[in-house]
Amino acid sequence: MAFTRREFGVSAAAGLAVAAVPGWSSAQITLGNKRIATVSDGYLNLPPEFLFDGLAPDVLQQALEQYGLPAGPLTPDVNVTLLREESRVVLFDAGAGPGFQESAGNLPGALDVLGVRPEEVTHVVFTHCHPDHLWGVLDDFDDLLFPRAAYLMGQREWDYWFDPETVDSIGSSRAAMAIGARRRMEQLEDKVQLFRDGEEILPGVAAVATPGHTPGHMSFEVRDGSDGVLVLGDAVGNHHVSFAEPGRPVGADQEPQKAAATRMRLLDQLAAGQMQLIGYHLPGGGIGRAERFGSGYRFVPAA
């Protein structure tokens, strides 16, 4: 049987994933008929300044020691959420794809190991348009990786990144992100469905505006009756600083003060209600809970 070029690429990616990713589905949740898992797209390599932008070197070293972080690159996990219910196969974000970092872009192979083919994905829902969330919509040949999927994104996030003036206003360090986002969004323009805060975008899935990391960042509350989980995206982007000191500005956020306010609100609600959460860059597959700890919070991974 002859392979199509997409099938060949997915098979090759599966082989790479086996070598690079120790677990395909790191954690799982069942909510009624909804089966939710996190699938590893790999990990990122980021300089410490990505979290601690603006700190003097000696203060940065103190912060790294305080949170037990390495002096070298930070390597946060990339957890794509997979929701399966009846005929729906839903991805929350699309991973980094082949053009961002060598340590990421493993999603096609990880899905293949789980028996999920790209053609079976019915919906791709975006939290925001940073490379590790959006760029994976295109394969090595610049074709849509999920050709039969509907694509859903918040109206404000779409407007911000699709605006041709964003590349000039976002700052030189993020200009490549804006260029890359626009190129991929042009391929989605005729397929995307836009929504606003509070809308039920799919049965049992509601959009929750969580701005700051990007201007239109969205999280998603997935519910079945009284049971639910909040898919955070990057609204809480790490398991150490942003839990222990949620009000502390983070260099990865485009609007640091607004992101900090969002983070404090979310963690207060999550800890008070003990609602499950899924974080895109949290360890152990990203599924767990927030609980109060001292003057802040801590991340408690799912058992």
Side-chain angles (χ1 to χ4, degrees):
M1 180 180 67
F3 282 108
T4 67
R5 65 181 186 173
R6 176 178 286 111
E7 288 170 336
F8 180 83
V10 169
S11 296
L16 291 174
V18 169
V21 183
W24 326 118
S25 179
S26 301
Q28 298 187 37
I29 297 173
T30 300
L31 299 176
N33 292 327
K34 294 179 173 65
R35 293 172 295 147
I36 303 169
T38 55
V39 183
S40 177
D41 189 50
Y43 62 93
L44 301 182
N45 277 288
L46 303 173
E49 293 78 11
F50 201 71
L51 289 181
F52 301 103
D53 186 33
L55 292 185
D58 59 331
V59 179
L60 171 59
Q61 184 59 39
Q62 292 175 10
L64 295 176
E65 292 174 358
Q66 179 181 355
Y67 296 108
L69 300 176
L74 304 175
T75 56
D77 296 339
V78 178
N79 307 305
V80 176
T81 298
L82 171 67
L83 165 64
R84 288 178 278 189
E85 181 185 24
E86 298 176 346
S87 61
R88 285 183 291 275
V89 179
V90 183
L91 292 176
F92 292 86
D93 293 322
F100 185 49
Q101 292 189 0
E102 290 184 1
S103 59
N106 295 321
L107 179 62
L111 289 173
D112 188 63
V113 171
L114 291 176
V116 178
R117 295 176 58 80
E119 291 80 5
E120 296 175 318
V121 174
T122 60
H123 301 81
V124 181
V125 181
F126 297 102
T127 60
H128 64 295
C129 290
H130 280 169
D132 53 321
H133 298 254
L134 171 66
W135 288 17
V137 296
L138 299 184
D139 63 17
D140 291 303
F141 305 96
D142 278 352
D143 293 329
L144 287 173
L145 179 61
F146 309 107
R148 298 178 183 173
Y151 297 89
L152 294 85
M153 186 182 295
Q155 178 79 58
R156 188 177 181 190
E157 187 73 357
W158 177 273
D159 290 345
Y160 175 77
W161 292 97
F162 204 69
D163 184 346
E165 296 183 3
T166 294
V167 68
D168 296 320
S169 63
I170 197 172
S172 59
S173 64
R174 289 187 165 100
M177 292 185 181
I179 294 170
R182 171 75 190 225
R183 182 167 73 84
R184 290 157 178 83
M185 293 167 78
E186 286 172 350
Q187 294 213 36
L188 300 178
E189 186 175 9
D190 296 333
K191 301 174 179 64
V192 71
Q193 301 172 22
L194 302 177
F195 56 83
R196 299 183 185 276
D197 179 33
E199 289 187 24
E200 185 177 49
I201 61 170
L202 292 169
V205 181
V208 180
T210 49
H213 183 66
T214 63
H217 188 284
M218 285 280 184
S219 300
F220 300 95
E221 185 174 341
V222 183
R223 281 210 167 270
D224 183 273
S226 61
D227 295 327
V229 59
L230 189 64
V231 181
L232 286 170
D234 285 358
V236 185
N238 61 77
H239 67 288
H240 31 76
V241 177
S242 291
F243 276 81
E245 300 180 68
R248 183 175 188 158
V250 173
D253 296 327
Q254 290 183 224
E255 300 173 294
Q257 297 301 328
K258 183 177 290 186
T262 292
R263 213 161 31 242
M264 289 189 288
R265 171 177 57 83
L266 281 177
L267 289 174
D268 181 65
Q269 294 172 350
L270 288 165
Q274 280 299 285
M275 185 178 184
Q276 295 182 98
L277 61 87
I278 303 177
Y280 202 71
H281 296 302
L282 302 184
I287 297 179
R289 300 180 188 272
E291 68 176 27
R292 296 188 184 278
F293 185 73
S295 59
Y297 305 86
R298 65 181 173 187
F299 175 60
V300 181

